[in-house]
Each structure stands twice: as structure tokens, then as C-alpha cells.
Amino acid sequence: MIRRLARGAIAFLDWLDAHDLTLSSCQQADLDRWPADERAVYREEAGRFIRWARGSKLTAGYLAAAPRWNGPAQLLDHQDRWDIARRLLHDDNLKPEDRLAGLFVLLYAQGTTAISRMTISQIRVSEHDVRLRLGRAPIQLPEPVTGLARAVLANRKGHATIGAAEPSHWLFPGGQPGRPVSTARLTQRLGDLGIRPGQARSTALFQLAAEIPAAILARTLGIHTDVAVTWQRLSGGDWTNYAADVSRRTPHPARHSDSSNI
């Protein structure tokens, strides 16, 4: 076992070197690309090494350990996904922040690590709309997600924000001063809503990849292009279908040309 763990560490470090990266310069987008790379080996063992490196503060930021690449295996049933999404959209008995975080997983294929690290700067609010920036191109949120986003922005109440001199810049504040909600805590909260984040994110990615070209998917969701291409290939997505759909849409005003409505 120790020998396999060592090989996993070496394999990942070799992969970093082949892409002109180091542990300190590797970003989440690079890590997302790792398990989808056909040349990547010892993925599970490498994931353990990455978790150790992250705990030892050898990596940049808050990288999530790379899981073994399983493609779209064990997808959540689409009907179940939409049933949960409808509940989050309309059940006012649930906390707005939990509803919004769950919808980010179900509708926009975001993982719990990425969600926990979201800041208020990623949501741009105007009189007419609300836009979320996950990648390079902002996404215009539809109602009632817009209303939830406005409510969460106005009422961020992490345990540690009570009595704080300034409001937290985290969209989902955590229990420690100046810190976001932990990935583990967020996963638990979503689990209480019936959401298994990894499985739900895979289902959302699978469906989005079948409907949207990989380049647009990567640009709007903030994932690596290679990952988007892999998911599109697995889902059978077709540029032709997307282009035909776009051609039938009513043109948007020029001011909306920099955003997407996925």
C-alpha cells in the first residue's frame, strides 16, 4: 500500500511537471483536469497525496482532492433532481442560504468546495437582474433564484459574523471569524435536504454538457475546458443541436451580450 501511495504521489508530481505546474501554482481548474486526463494513473492514491499536501499548506488556496474519474456513473435520476430543485425554489420553510447553495449544485454543477469559497463579489446585483460569476462569463440568474440570491446577500448570518466590525465578504460565512462555511458542514446541510453533492453535480454536468458546447460550459461554470470536453463526449452533446436552438431564440439587447443563461 505504501508503495502504491508513493507511486500515486510521483505520478501526480510528474503530471504537474509535464504541464509546467507545481503544488504551489496548481489551481482548482488544473486539479479538475487531472482525473479526466487519460494519462493520469494511480488517481485514488494521488488523491490521498493531494489531501495531505493541502493539509500541509503546500497547495494554492483550498484545493479539493481529486477523486477517481468515473465519468457519469451513478447519476441522480433527472426527475429526482428536478423534484429537489423545485422544493428548493419554492419551500419558504427552508433557509435561503441552504436553498441557494443546493441550487448552485443542482442547476449550475458547482461542488461544495467551490460553493463554500464563494464571495459576495461573485454576485452582481442591479435593479433589473442578478448575475453570478463562476467562470469568465457571468450567468444571469432566473427568478426565483434571483430572489434567493438577494435575500442571502442581505442576511448573511454566519455564527462568527455576530458583532463583527464589518460584514463578511464570504457569501456563506462559517462559524469562525473571517472564514467561510466548511466544505464538511455545507455537505452535511445539503445532505439534510436530500442532496448528495457529488452525485447531484455529476448529473447536472452530464445534462448541461449534452446541451451546451464545451467552450461555453467551461467559460460559464469555471471548469477546465478539457473536463467540459470529456463530459460533452460522454453525454453525447452536439454543437449542431445547440446552434440550432440558439438560432431560434429572440436576440437579447446588447447589454446582455457578455452573459449566459444556462
Side-chain angles (χ1 to χ4, degrees):
M1 182 62 181
I2 294 177
R3 184 173 297 178
R4 286 187 63 85
L5 290 175
R7 288 174 177 171
I10 293 171
F12 182 66
L13 292 173
D14 285 344
W15 183 84
L16 289 178
D17 184 65
H19 291 81
D20 296 321
L21 295 167
T22 64
L23 278 174
S24 60
S25 66
C26 180
Q27 300 296 316
Q28 188 63 51
D30 301 311
L31 197 60
D32 287 342
R33 182 165 45 134
W34 154 255
D37 194 321
E38 294 179 353
R39 294 168 296 178
V41 294
Y42 295 103
R43 295 183 179 98
E44 183 176 351
E45 292 78 9
R48 296 190 183 189
F49 169 72
I50 295 167
R51 284 193 291 274
W52 170 83
R54 181 184 57 181
S56 301
K57 302 186 185 303
L58 300 177
T59 58
Y62 288 73
L63 298 182
R68 179 182 294 276
W69 172 251
N70 292 318
Q74 297 181 331
L75 294 177
L76 180 69
D77 180 82
H78 285 304
Q79 186 58 50
D80 288 342
R81 173 179 169 236
W82 286 118
D83 287 344
I84 296 173
R86 276 192 290 270
R87 181 189 174 205
L88 297 183
L89 287 169
H90 303 294
D91 191 344
D92 293 333
N93 294 317
L94 302 176
K95 294 180 179 179
E97 58 269 29
D98 291 347
R99 294 166 65 188
L100 186 63
L103 289 169
F104 283 164
V105 176
L106 295 169
L107 302 184
Y108 300 106
Q110 295 300 294
T112 50
T113 298
I115 294 172
S116 70
R117 299 290 298 175
M118 285 184 178
T119 65
I120 58 176
S121 64
Q122 289 178 251
I123 296 187
R124 187 174 66 188
V125 178
S126 70
E127 181 182 354
H128 304 289
D129 60 30
V130 175
R131 301 192 183 194
L132 172 67
R133 183 178 291 277
L134 301 173
R136 288 178 292 151
I139 301 168
Q140 184 174 331
L141 298 180
E143 287 288 2
V145 184
T146 292
L148 281 174
R150 292 181 186 272
V152 170
L153 281 172
N155 299 285
R156 286 170 296 117
K157 296 180 179 179
H159 300 297
T161 63
I162 299 176
E166 297 181 358
S168 173
H169 73 287
W170 300 110
L171 184 60
F172 301 100
Q176 299 180 17
R179 303 284 293 179
V181 64
S182 69
T183 299
R185 176 57 180 153
L186 181 59
T187 299
Q188 180 183 31
R189 283 161 52 177
L190 294 178
D192 291 341
L193 298 175
I195 300 172
R196 295 175 60 187
Q199 188 177 354
R201 179 174 184 261
S202 292
T203 300
L205 267 175
F206 188 77
Q207 183 168 347
L208 290 171
E211 301 171 349
I212 301 171
I216 295 178
L217 195 66
R219 188 169 68 246
T220 53
L221 298 188
I223 62 178
H224 196 279
T225 303
D226 289 354
V227 175
V229 168
T230 299
W231 277 95
Q232 185 174 62
R233 184 176 68 248
L234 292 168
S235 66
D238 189 340
W239 275 75
T240 304
N241 293 338
Y242 179 85
D245 178 65
V246 170
S247 69
R248 292 191 293 268
R249 298 180 187 175
T250 302
H252 292 291
R255 68 184 182 88
H256 286 192
S257 60
D258 66 335
S259 65
S260 299
N261 287 287
I262 64 174

